Amino acid sequence: MRLPLSWLRDFVDYTGTPDVLADRLGTSGFEIEGILRPGAPNEGDNHANFVIGRVEDCEKHANAVRLRLCRVDTGGDELRQIVCGASNFAIGDTVVVAVPGAVLPGADAPLKQAKLRGEVSDGMMLSERELGLSDEHDGIIVLPADAGYAVGSRLADHVELDEVVLDISVESNRGDCLSVYGMAREVAVLFDLPLAPMPGIEPVASGGSTADLVTVATDAPERCSRFTARGFTDVTIGPSPFRIRQRLAAAGIRPISNVVDVTNYVMHELGNPLHVYDADRIPGKTLTARLARVGETITTLDDKERTLTGDMLVIADADGPSGIAGVMGGAASEITETTTRVVLEAACFERGSIQRTSKALGLRTDGSNRWEKGVSPHLAPIASIRAAQLLVEWSGAQMLGDPQDVVAALPATQTIALRTQRPAEVLGMQVEGAEIERILSGLGYAPEAAGEIWSCTVPFWRWLDATREIDLVEEIGRVYGLKHVPVELPRIPPGLGGLTRAQQLRRRIEDHLAGVGLHEVSTISLVDPDVRAAYLIDGRDSIALRNPLSADLSELRTSLIPSLLEVVRRNRAVGERDVQIFEIGRTYGPGGEGGLALEQERLGIVLCGHLGGDGWTGEGLPGDFSTLAGVVDGLLARLGIAATRRAERDTAQLHPGRSAALMLGDARLGVLGELHPGLAAALELDGPVAVAELDLAALVAAVPELTAFAGLSSFPPVRQDIAVIVADDIDAAALITAARAAGGELLQAVEVFDVFADPERVGAGRVSIALRLVFQADDRTLTEDEATAAREQIVSALVASCGAELRG
Amino acid sequence: MVDIDALLADALAQIDAAADLATLEEVRIATVGRSAPLPLALRDVGTLPPEERGEAGKNLNIARQQLEVRLAEREAELESAALADKLANDRIDVTLPGRAMPHGGLHVLTQTRREIEQIFLDMGYAIAEGPEVETEFNNFTALNIPEDHPAKADSDTLWVSDGVLLRTHTSPVQVRAMQSQEPPVAIICPGRVYRRDTQDATHSPIFHQVEGLLIDEGVTLAHLKGTLDHLTKRLFGADREIRLRSGFFPFTEPSIEVDVSWGDGWMEILGAGMVDPNVLEHVGYDSEKYTGFAFGVGIERVAMLRHGIPDIRMLYDNDVRFLAQFPA
């Protein structure tokens, strides 16, 4: 919404600076996008350099075919010689002249006397573009001769030469402020200034009747609640007054012709979109608001043929749609240069209807934008009168009598009871009763005090957004000023707050992993199905979006790993070799509560390259299975979880010999392993890449609530080492489990301290595993013999249950 | 009879002169060894006349003790000097980098989120979480957002199916919290949200919010202002001021936009307001008895402002060189 301040001042005498106005509006519910100054500044009395002139003489330039040598009366003693390239004027025409010294709109330097092909040009005759009025530059401005533009008078006496325009973003609930008058009402109440009444003086009607030109009706009262029409004859199509053209241009509206400009001017001034028809191009002399018939077509004012659906409201004549109601008129009844009789439509269309139509057609106009915010049906007759007044003034029209006003329904007037104490209870600040009354009156609520309440009547222009007491409280707060609201901290009842156990543990997990050298990452949870498929996950459990932004963000992820591998690839691409990362994020699958997704929080880890090292002391730990297992084991130890790993050989993404499930009893916490070398190659990731994905909820659930003290033996432990050779499909976990079972109470710990597979020393398909056994008693110092007896029991068990052979 | 004083003086001189441990050992043998003059003299005390024995023996013993003490002292001196000598040659470049322990870090979004969370945890709030795939009802309807609101359009919201969408704010978590508990409610809802925004330097289809909700008897706009003033001072510095501007959100009334002082001007950082009575009634709260406030702040925005990060996409690129710049 562009608000030229000269227009605003038609209704409220605001004399402060534009900056103060912008600031106050900006904190009172309006966003100020900018302050525009489209005209010429008046610094150094610059406006004295723009004057009205009359062309007294005009001849061809001797040395240039396209130039003319003019002598122009600008009110001085002598005529001024001006060289001009335009050809749209004649001797005797009234023109706009900038004399040397003038700073034109947007110019950096003042205009100088110039010599053009040998002839002095003592100034310039201006085009609309040079005045910042429009893009028109084919000819200069020629003003009507008998319209009071005195030769030698300042241009600034006739138009707002240094117009200031506020570019305002109006919230969607304040359609009433998409108008100069609506904004004037706000400015008046914000600055405590008087507001002029709504504009519009109904012209005296001539003899005929509007019905001579048209009869209007609505067949869709729920979509078109009001349809008014006025007829006009003796219209002379031409440009609008210069001042109006300047004002429309400042408001961002392109001036077209006097009749069309009237509709745009009144829409901008009062907020009710209007339409005009060439009365001689309305077949059947009827205009009816009705739903379009499926497949009906219309050529709109922008010369595009549009096919309509049964959900679109049209204004139809006897031959079919004449215009798309509230969106755009039709070419067939368009005002042309030869139009002499006009029908003015001021109607009220339902917001949803216009919104759907506008969207379906991909056609948004200044009009549709206002309808979508909701326009009161009370406004149409007011706008009609104002437009009639201007049509008569600007085009010399005669208004016919018997204006038509088809009213389907008018909303009932609402009253709201505002309790006197409620504003303070919500806003936390005390506003004087008199000030509350002033604010509500200024906004049109006509408050009447009645005991402990004010009875307020909702003005018609606020029928949609002001319906409740709280809405009035809001008005009082914003107009009185939110800067007056005190700063207070609430007293929050104790016992509500704090982190849950799961939240605490999640933080502990994050801190631990960062502490052992991993960088936490944050990846996008929408993924590319191709990336997912490249990681060999089928789309069976993927939730696809109905309206994705793009194919690469079209479904929700079912695993963190593809996203983390993409991070590795991107880092590799910028030369980073060592990438050790983790993320706690969600995956999404079917089967959640209430038909929603099953959202699981997971911990994903990817190691690639070396962890630590990479300096003069060495290379750090390789990003392989063992390092990853160490990271996971360390995390589990930190959390007090006693999980085990079970070899898995059939995970398509992972190396069949280097992947494992993480188990807590029979429950699966997740999976870890090296990326399958074939897949790694396909993803262009060389070297081992180790990945893990764990279920965070299961992990958190596995953390013991409270750990009981296990006692500390004051007697020394006895360590005994054994080395056994087993078939290479017997894993260490099996040996440890068997040893623990056989070791009895004295066995405190079993640790693997050496593993090797050397066919020459231990035989093909066999592996040597060395175990350190730690024995200890709580009540005595163990003898070597006791420990040895226990060890031999363990060895026997390993031989029996694992086919182990004791190494010498 | 030997001259004890002369012997002693000579021996002490030898001990003091010994420059290393090997020489000192030779001196020990020469002065208190089995065949040294002093022990020999002590052995010969028996041959003296009885009246002289006592005196001579006593003097000789004193002399020997003196020597042994001095020998021990000298040995300690020489050992200490030898160690100092050895250590003086055993040195390393203490400015070399240490044996590299791996070190990672938390993502700057996590750091920022935790910082905001901590501010509210300190004030007594809890942290509530909820699903990202949400119902249209919880995301829009329960929040007083009208059926035909443009935010619901395909152009703004990512839809999974009819009535199911990716939440566009974490407000549905507030709805769920209110549905499951009676007032008072004091929660913040951090989480991931989705908008159908094309990625550029300041927009991302996925970003993170922290929303807050306080519902109790007697909660006012002044409490909201105080809370947000406290929040911005802790996030951006004690010298910051906030400015409230009237705004419009369907779920709050009055609604406010909040700016923080930034250089000579103001920077918009969050939206807030008093919870609309319709929202309270939707979850069965008595809007006469209870009032409340709600606010929402973008974690990315706060992180970018605090750290001077110019492009939101950097937060999701996860370039290790970027991540390593924010160690804590």
PDB file of all heavy atoms in Angstrom, chain A residues 419 426 468 485 507 510 520 525 546 571 588 599 616, chain B residues 97 110 114 117 132-133 159 162 194 225 276 288 320:
ATOM      1  N   ARG A 419     -14.857  -4.590  29.477  1.00  0.00           N
ATOM      2  CA  ARG A 419     -14.794  -4.325  30.918  1.00  0.00           C
ATOM      3  C   ARG A 419     -13.669  -3.328  31.184  1.00  0.00           C
ATOM      4  O   ARG A 419     -12.573  -3.461  30.628  1.00  0.00           O
ATOM      5  CB  ARG A 419     -14.542  -5.625  31.686  1.00  0.00           C
ATOM      6  CG  ARG A 419     -15.762  -6.555  31.676  1.00  0.00           C
ATOM      7  CD  ARG A 419     -15.412  -7.942  32.129  1.00  0.00           C
ATOM      8  NE  ARG A 419     -14.555  -8.611  31.156  1.00  0.00           N
ATOM      9  CZ  ARG A 419     -14.021  -9.812  31.352  1.00  0.00           C
ATOM     10  NH1 ARG A 419     -14.237 -10.458  32.477  1.00  0.00           N
ATOM     11  NH2 ARG A 419     -13.265 -10.362  30.421  1.00  0.00           N
ATOM     12  N   VAL A 426      -4.747  -7.554  30.856  1.00  0.00           N
ATOM     13  CA  VAL A 426      -4.043  -8.232  29.760  1.00  0.00           C
ATOM     14  C   VAL A 426      -2.725  -7.524  29.423  1.00  0.00           C
ATOM     15  O   VAL A 426      -1.703  -8.154  29.214  1.00  0.00           O
ATOM     16  CB  VAL A 426      -4.939  -8.310  28.499  1.00  0.00           C
ATOM     17  CG1 VAL A 426      -4.168  -8.883  27.326  1.00  0.00           C
ATOM     18  CG2 VAL A 426      -6.183  -9.139  28.792  1.00  0.00           C
ATOM     19  N   ARG A 468     -14.328  -9.277  19.349  1.00  0.00           N
ATOM     20  CA  ARG A 468     -14.290  -9.687  20.750  1.00  0.00           C
ATOM     21  C   ARG A 468     -13.652  -8.608  21.617  1.00  0.00           C
ATOM     22  O   ARG A 468     -12.933  -7.735  21.147  1.00  0.00           O
ATOM     23  CB  ARG A 468     -13.467 -10.982  20.869  1.00  0.00           C
ATOM     24  CG  ARG A 468     -13.975 -12.094  19.974  1.00  0.00           C
ATOM     25  CD  ARG A 468     -12.934 -13.183  19.847  1.00  0.00           C
ATOM     26  NE  ARG A 468     -11.676 -12.674  19.325  1.00  0.00           N
ATOM     27  CZ  ARG A 468     -10.519 -13.311  19.410  1.00  0.00           C
ATOM     28  NH1 ARG A 468     -10.462 -14.492  19.991  1.00  0.00           N
ATOM     29  NH2 ARG A 468      -9.435 -12.789  18.907  1.00  0.00           N
ATOM     30  N   VAL A 485       4.451  -0.242  27.876  1.00  0.00           N
ATOM     31  CA  VAL A 485       4.253  -1.487  28.641  1.00  0.00           C
ATOM     32  C   VAL A 485       5.469  -1.685  29.547  1.00  0.00           C
ATOM     33  O   VAL A 485       6.609  -1.633  29.073  1.00  0.00           O
ATOM     34  CB  VAL A 485       4.086  -2.692  27.701  1.00  0.00           C
ATOM     35  CG1 VAL A 485       4.034  -3.991  28.499  1.00  0.00           C
ATOM     36  CG2 VAL A 485       2.834  -2.537  26.852  1.00  0.00           C
ATOM     37  N   ARG A 507      21.942 -34.882  25.956  1.00  0.00           N
ATOM     38  CA  ARG A 507      23.045 -33.924  26.051  1.00  0.00           C
ATOM     39  C   ARG A 507      24.341 -34.623  26.436  1.00  0.00           C
ATOM     40  O   ARG A 507      25.406 -34.288  25.943  1.00  0.00           O
ATOM     41  CB  ARG A 507      22.717 -32.854  27.094  1.00  0.00           C
ATOM     42  CG  ARG A 507      21.664 -31.882  26.622  1.00  0.00           C
ATOM     43  CD  ARG A 507      21.411 -30.823  27.658  1.00  0.00           C
ATOM     44  NE  ARG A 507      20.452 -29.843  27.160  1.00  0.00           N
ATOM     45  CZ  ARG A 507      20.425 -28.571  27.553  1.00  0.00           C
ATOM     46  NH1 ARG A 507      21.298 -28.144  28.431  1.00  0.00           N
ATOM     47  NH2 ARG A 507      19.542 -27.737  27.062  1.00  0.00           N
ATOM     48  N   GLU A 510      25.701 -36.287  23.363  1.00  0.00           N
ATOM     49  CA  GLU A 510      26.284 -35.290  22.446  1.00  0.00           C
ATOM     50  C   GLU A 510      27.640 -34.808  22.963  1.00  0.00           C
ATOM     51  O   GLU A 510      28.621 -34.734  22.210  1.00  0.00           O
ATOM     52  CB  GLU A 510      25.343 -34.068  22.329  1.00  0.00           C
ATOM     53  CG  GLU A 510      24.052 -34.333  21.589  1.00  0.00           C
ATOM     54  CD  GLU A 510      23.015 -33.205  21.781  1.00  0.00           C
ATOM     55  OE1 GLU A 510      23.184 -32.346  22.677  1.00  0.00           O
ATOM     56  OE2 GLU A 510      22.025 -33.203  21.031  1.00  0.00           O
ATOM     57  N   GLU A 520      29.614 -32.679  15.627  1.00  0.00           N
ATOM     58  CA  GLU A 520      28.177 -32.831  15.418  1.00  0.00           C
ATOM     59  C   GLU A 520      27.795 -32.073  14.146  1.00  0.00           C
ATOM     60  O   GLU A 520      28.290 -30.978  13.887  1.00  0.00           O
ATOM     61  CB  GLU A 520      27.401 -32.251  16.597  1.00  0.00           C
ATOM     62  CG  GLU A 520      25.918 -32.567  16.504  1.00  0.00           C
ATOM     63  CD  GLU A 520      25.046 -31.664  17.371  1.00  0.00           C
ATOM     64  OE1 GLU A 520      25.515 -30.603  17.811  1.00  0.00           O
ATOM     65  OE2 GLU A 520      23.892 -32.026  17.586  1.00  0.00           O
ATOM     66  N   SER A 525      16.334 -33.055   6.832  1.00  0.00           N
ATOM     67  CA  SER A 525      15.624 -34.329   6.966  1.00  0.00           C
ATOM     68  C   SER A 525      14.784 -34.692   5.743  1.00  0.00           C
ATOM     69  O   SER A 525      14.162 -35.740   5.709  1.00  0.00           O
ATOM     70  CB  SER A 525      14.760 -34.308   8.226  1.00  0.00           C
ATOM     71  OG  SER A 525      14.180 -33.041   8.420  1.00  0.00           O
ATOM     72  N   ARG A 546       3.465 -34.446  -0.745  1.00  0.00           N
ATOM     73  CA  ARG A 546       2.519 -34.268  -1.832  1.00  0.00           C
ATOM     74  C   ARG A 546       2.940 -33.106  -2.725  1.00  0.00           C
ATOM     75  O   ARG A 546       2.721 -33.126  -3.922  1.00  0.00           O
ATOM     76  CB  ARG A 546       1.133 -33.997  -1.228  1.00  0.00           C
ATOM     77  CG  ARG A 546      -0.004 -34.142  -2.194  1.00  0.00           C
ATOM     78  CD  ARG A 546      -1.319 -33.915  -1.509  1.00  0.00           C
ATOM     79  NE  ARG A 546      -1.466 -32.513  -1.129  1.00  0.00           N
ATOM     80  CZ  ARG A 546      -2.461 -32.055  -0.376  1.00  0.00           C
ATOM     81  NH1 ARG A 546      -3.370 -32.890   0.081  1.00  0.00           N
ATOM     82  NH2 ARG A 546      -2.539 -30.780  -0.073  1.00  0.00           N
ATOM     83  N   ASN A 571      32.613 -32.726   2.076  1.00  0.00           N
ATOM     84  CA  ASN A 571      33.885 -32.347   2.689  1.00  0.00           C
ATOM     85  C   ASN A 571      35.067 -32.862   1.875  1.00  0.00           C
ATOM     86  O   ASN A 571      36.076 -32.176   1.727  1.00  0.00           O
ATOM     87  CB  ASN A 571      33.957 -32.859   4.126  1.00  0.00           C
ATOM     88  CG  ASN A 571      33.303 -31.900   5.102  1.00  0.00           C
ATOM     89  OD1 ASN A 571      33.842 -30.843   5.387  1.00  0.00           O
ATOM     90  ND2 ASN A 571      32.121 -32.255   5.572  1.00  0.00           N
ATOM     91  N   TYR A 588      11.801 -41.039   9.802  1.00  0.00           N
ATOM     92  CA  TYR A 588      10.345 -40.990   9.694  1.00  0.00           C
ATOM     93  C   TYR A 588       9.868 -42.191   8.894  1.00  0.00           C
ATOM     94  O   TYR A 588      10.381 -42.455   7.808  1.00  0.00           O
ATOM     95  CB  TYR A 588       9.916 -39.699   8.987  1.00  0.00           C
ATOM     96  CG  TYR A 588      10.624 -38.464   9.501  1.00  0.00           C
ATOM     97  CD1 TYR A 588      11.930 -38.170   9.098  1.00  0.00           C
ATOM     98  CD2 TYR A 588       9.996 -37.617  10.401  1.00  0.00           C
ATOM     99  CE1 TYR A 588      12.596 -37.059   9.579  1.00  0.00           C
ATOM    100  CE2 TYR A 588      10.652 -36.495  10.894  1.00  0.00           C
ATOM    101  CZ  TYR A 588      11.955 -36.217  10.479  1.00  0.00           C
ATOM    102  OH  TYR A 588      12.613 -35.120  10.954  1.00  0.00           O
ATOM    103  N   GLU A 599       8.152 -41.352  14.254  1.00  0.00           N
ATOM    104  CA  GLU A 599       9.380 -40.559  14.246  1.00  0.00           C
ATOM    105  C   GLU A 599      10.321 -41.122  15.305  1.00  0.00           C
ATOM    106  O   GLU A 599       9.965 -41.207  16.477  1.00  0.00           O
ATOM    107  CB  GLU A 599       9.054 -39.084  14.545  1.00  0.00           C
ATOM    108  CG  GLU A 599       8.159 -38.484  13.486  1.00  0.00           C
ATOM    109  CD  GLU A 599       7.899 -36.988  13.686  1.00  0.00           C
ATOM    110  OE1 GLU A 599       8.733 -36.309  14.304  1.00  0.00           O
ATOM    111  OE2 GLU A 599       6.847 -36.526  13.204  1.00  0.00           O
ATOM    112  N   TRP A 616      52.833 -34.233  13.800  1.00  0.00           N
ATOM    113  CA  TRP A 616      54.186 -34.753  13.848  1.00  0.00           C
ATOM    114  C   TRP A 616      54.291 -36.005  14.706  1.00  0.00           C
ATOM    115  O   TRP A 616      55.261 -36.739  14.627  1.00  0.00           O
ATOM    116  CB  TRP A 616      55.148 -33.669  14.345  1.00  0.00           C
ATOM    117  CG  TRP A 616      54.879 -33.270  15.775  1.00  0.00           C
ATOM    118  CD1 TRP A 616      53.889 -32.472  16.222  1.00  0.00           C
ATOM    119  CD2 TRP A 616      55.599 -33.702  16.919  1.00  0.00           C
ATOM    120  NE1 TRP A 616      53.928 -32.349  17.577  1.00  0.00           N
ATOM    121  CE2 TRP A 616      54.987 -33.090  18.045  1.00  0.00           C
ATOM    122  CE3 TRP A 616      56.706 -34.530  17.122  1.00  0.00           C
ATOM    123  CZ2 TRP A 616      55.441 -33.303  19.338  1.00  0.00           C
ATOM    124  CZ3 TRP A 616      57.159 -34.728  18.418  1.00  0.00           C
ATOM    125  CH2 TRP A 616      56.529 -34.120  19.528  1.00  0.00           C
TER     126      TRP A 616
ATOM    127  N   PRO B  97      53.245 -28.841  18.875  1.00  0.00           N
ATOM    128  CA  PRO B  97      51.882 -29.286  19.217  1.00  0.00           C
ATOM    129  C   PRO B  97      51.934 -30.590  20.013  1.00  0.00           C
ATOM    130  O   PRO B  97      52.837 -31.399  19.818  1.00  0.00           O
ATOM    131  CB  PRO B  97      51.218 -29.527  17.858  1.00  0.00           C
ATOM    132  CG  PRO B  97      52.107 -28.909  16.842  1.00  0.00           C
ATOM    133  CD  PRO B  97      53.474 -28.808  17.429  1.00  0.00           C
ATOM    134  N   THR B 110      23.180 -26.402  17.792  1.00  0.00           N
ATOM    135  CA  THR B 110      22.965 -27.049  19.092  1.00  0.00           C
ATOM    136  C   THR B 110      23.421 -26.128  20.210  1.00  0.00           C
ATOM    137  O   THR B 110      22.749 -25.974  21.236  1.00  0.00           O
ATOM    138  CB  THR B 110      23.737 -28.373  19.150  1.00  0.00           C
ATOM    139  OG1 THR B 110      23.244 -29.233  18.132  1.00  0.00           O
ATOM    140  CG2 THR B 110      23.573 -29.051  20.496  1.00  0.00           C
ATOM    141  N   ARG B 114      20.894 -24.747  22.974  1.00  0.00           N
ATOM    142  CA  ARG B 114      21.101 -24.996  24.396  1.00  0.00           C
ATOM    143  C   ARG B 114      21.183 -23.698  25.178  1.00  0.00           C
ATOM    144  O   ARG B 114      20.727 -23.615  26.318  1.00  0.00           O
ATOM    145  CB  ARG B 114      22.395 -25.784  24.598  1.00  0.00           C
ATOM    146  CG  ARG B 114      22.256 -27.240  24.269  1.00  0.00           C
ATOM    147  CD  ARG B 114      23.410 -27.953  24.914  1.00  0.00           C
ATOM    148  NE  ARG B 114      23.605 -29.289  24.425  1.00  0.00           N
ATOM    149  CZ  ARG B 114      24.591 -30.064  24.855  1.00  0.00           C
ATOM    150  NH1 ARG B 114      25.463 -29.597  25.732  1.00  0.00           N
ATOM    151  NH2 ARG B 114      24.714 -31.272  24.388  1.00  0.00           N
ATOM    152  N   GLU B 117      17.736 -22.561  25.598  1.00  0.00           N
ATOM    153  CA  GLU B 117      17.076 -23.462  26.545  1.00  0.00           C
ATOM    154  C   GLU B 117      17.494 -23.136  27.981  1.00  0.00           C
ATOM    155  O   GLU B 117      16.666 -23.099  28.892  1.00  0.00           O
ATOM    156  CB  GLU B 117      17.428 -24.922  26.227  1.00  0.00           C
ATOM    157  CG  GLU B 117      16.733 -25.464  24.989  1.00  0.00           C
ATOM    158  CD  GLU B 117      17.229 -26.863  24.602  1.00  0.00           C
ATOM    159  OE1 GLU B 117      18.248 -27.330  25.160  1.00  0.00           O
ATOM    160  OE2 GLU B 117      16.603 -27.479  23.730  1.00  0.00           O
ATOM    161  N   GLU B 132       7.102 -33.896  14.110  1.00  0.00           N
ATOM    162  CA  GLU B 132       7.279 -32.958  13.003  1.00  0.00           C
ATOM    163  C   GLU B 132       6.222 -33.198  11.921  1.00  0.00           C
ATOM    164  O   GLU B 132       5.817 -32.272  11.223  1.00  0.00           O
ATOM    165  CB  GLU B 132       8.688 -33.100  12.411  1.00  0.00           C
ATOM    166  CG  GLU B 132       9.754 -32.658  13.411  1.00  0.00           C
ATOM    167  CD  GLU B 132      11.165 -33.055  13.007  1.00  0.00           C
ATOM    168  OE1 GLU B 132      11.402 -33.331  11.807  1.00  0.00           O
ATOM    169  OE2 GLU B 132      12.029 -33.109  13.893  1.00  0.00           O
ATOM    170  N   VAL B 133       5.836 -34.448  11.767  1.00  0.00           N
ATOM    171  CA  VAL B 133       4.717 -34.752  10.866  1.00  0.00           C
ATOM    172  C   VAL B 133       3.458 -34.584  11.722  1.00  0.00           C
ATOM    173  O   VAL B 133       3.256 -35.325  12.684  1.00  0.00           O
ATOM    174  CB  VAL B 133       4.815 -36.182  10.297  1.00  0.00           C
ATOM    175  CG1 VAL B 133       3.635 -36.469   9.371  1.00  0.00           C
ATOM    176  CG2 VAL B 133       6.140 -36.366   9.550  1.00  0.00           C
ATOM    177  N   TRP B 159       2.906 -30.549   2.439  1.00  0.00           N
ATOM    178  CA  TRP B 159       1.850 -31.483   2.839  1.00  0.00           C
ATOM    179  C   TRP B 159       2.267 -32.911   2.564  1.00  0.00           C
ATOM    180  O   TRP B 159       2.911 -33.202   1.551  1.00  0.00           O
ATOM    181  CB  TRP B 159       0.563 -31.177   2.060  1.00  0.00           C
ATOM    182  CG  TRP B 159      -0.089 -29.896   2.492  1.00  0.00           C
ATOM    183  CD1 TRP B 159       0.159 -28.651   2.006  1.00  0.00           C
ATOM    184  CD2 TRP B 159      -1.084 -29.738   3.511  1.00  0.00           C
ATOM    185  NE1 TRP B 159      -0.613 -27.717   2.652  1.00  0.00           N
ATOM    186  CE2 TRP B 159      -1.395 -28.363   3.574  1.00  0.00           C
ATOM    187  CE3 TRP B 159      -1.745 -30.624   4.359  1.00  0.00           C
ATOM    188  CZ2 TRP B 159      -2.334 -27.851   4.465  1.00  0.00           C
ATOM    189  CZ3 TRP B 159      -2.684 -30.118   5.249  1.00  0.00           C
ATOM    190  CH2 TRP B 159      -2.971 -28.745   5.290  1.00  0.00           C
ATOM    191  N   ASP B 162      -3.887 -35.284   2.818  1.00  0.00           N
ATOM    192  CA  ASP B 162      -4.962 -34.422   3.319  1.00  0.00           C
ATOM    193  C   ASP B 162      -4.967 -34.441   4.840  1.00  0.00           C
ATOM    194  O   ASP B 162      -5.050 -35.505   5.451  1.00  0.00           O
ATOM    195  CB  ASP B 162      -6.321 -34.921   2.807  1.00  0.00           C
ATOM    196  CG  ASP B 162      -6.525 -34.533   1.354  1.00  0.00           C
ATOM    197  OD1 ASP B 162      -5.706 -33.740   0.843  1.00  0.00           O
ATOM    198  OD2 ASP B 162      -7.476 -35.057   0.740  1.00  0.00           O
ATOM    199  N   TYR B 194       9.231 -26.673   9.046  1.00  0.00           N
ATOM    200  CA  TYR B 194       9.316 -26.765   7.591  1.00  0.00           C
ATOM    201  C   TYR B 194       8.449 -25.695   6.923  1.00  0.00           C
ATOM    202  O   TYR B 194       7.304 -25.506   7.308  1.00  0.00           O
ATOM    203  CB  TYR B 194       8.827 -28.137   7.124  1.00  0.00           C
ATOM    204  CG  TYR B 194       9.593 -29.302   7.713  1.00  0.00           C
ATOM    205  CD1 TYR B 194       9.367 -29.743   9.009  1.00  0.00           C
ATOM    206  CD2 TYR B 194      10.559 -29.959   6.959  1.00  0.00           C
ATOM    207  CE1 TYR B 194      10.076 -30.811   9.545  1.00  0.00           C
ATOM    208  CE2 TYR B 194      11.269 -31.036   7.478  1.00  0.00           C
ATOM    209  CZ  TYR B 194      11.025 -31.457   8.781  1.00  0.00           C
ATOM    210  OH  TYR B 194      11.732 -32.511   9.291  1.00  0.00           O
ATOM    211  N   LYS B 225       6.958  -8.843  27.907  1.00  0.00           N
ATOM    212  CA  LYS B 225       8.017  -7.877  27.580  1.00  0.00           C
ATOM    213  C   LYS B 225       9.238  -8.115  28.463  1.00  0.00           C
ATOM    214  O   LYS B 225      10.376  -8.113  27.982  1.00  0.00           O
ATOM    215  CB  LYS B 225       7.489  -6.450  27.770  1.00  0.00           C
ATOM    216  CG  LYS B 225       8.407  -5.377  27.204  1.00  0.00           C
ATOM    217  CD  LYS B 225       7.735  -3.993  27.314  1.00  0.00           C
ATOM    218  CE  LYS B 225       8.554  -2.902  26.643  1.00  0.00           C
ATOM    219  NZ  LYS B 225       7.897  -1.587  26.775  1.00  0.00           N
ATOM    220  N   ASP B 276      -4.287 -16.080  22.184  1.00  0.00           N
ATOM    221  CA  ASP B 276      -5.655 -15.701  21.840  1.00  0.00           C
ATOM    222  C   ASP B 276      -6.642 -16.552  22.655  1.00  0.00           C
ATOM    223  O   ASP B 276      -6.465 -17.768  22.792  1.00  0.00           O
ATOM    224  CB  ASP B 276      -5.878 -15.927  20.338  1.00  0.00           C
ATOM    225  CG  ASP B 276      -7.141 -15.246  19.860  1.00  0.00           C
ATOM    226  OD1 ASP B 276      -8.250 -15.708  20.209  1.00  0.00           O
ATOM    227  OD2 ASP B 276      -7.003 -14.254  19.134  1.00  0.00           O
ATOM    228  N   GLU B 288     -11.138 -16.863  30.849  1.00  0.00           N
ATOM    229  CA  GLU B 288     -11.395 -15.785  31.805  1.00  0.00           C
ATOM    230  C   GLU B 288     -10.447 -15.900  32.994  1.00  0.00           C
ATOM    231  O   GLU B 288      -9.952 -14.915  33.527  1.00  0.00           O
ATOM    232  CB  GLU B 288     -12.848 -15.853  32.308  1.00  0.00           C
ATOM    233  CG  GLU B 288     -13.826 -15.229  31.351  1.00  0.00           C
ATOM    234  CD  GLU B 288     -13.576 -13.735  31.174  1.00  0.00           C
ATOM    235  OE1 GLU B 288     -13.527 -13.005  32.175  1.00  0.00           O
ATOM    236  OE2 GLU B 288     -13.397 -13.313  30.010  1.00  0.00           O
ATOM    237  N   VAL B 320      33.596 -29.211   7.510  1.00  0.00           N
ATOM    238  CA  VAL B 320      34.326 -29.407   8.762  1.00  0.00           C
ATOM    239  C   VAL B 320      35.096 -28.151   9.152  1.00  0.00           C
ATOM    240  O   VAL B 320      35.236 -27.820  10.329  1.00  0.00           O
ATOM    241  CB  VAL B 320      35.267 -30.638   8.645  1.00  0.00           C
ATOM    242  CG1 VAL B 320      36.182 -30.735   9.846  1.00  0.00           C
ATOM    243  CG2 VAL B 320      34.436 -31.907   8.518  1.00  0.00           C
TER     244      VAL B 320
END
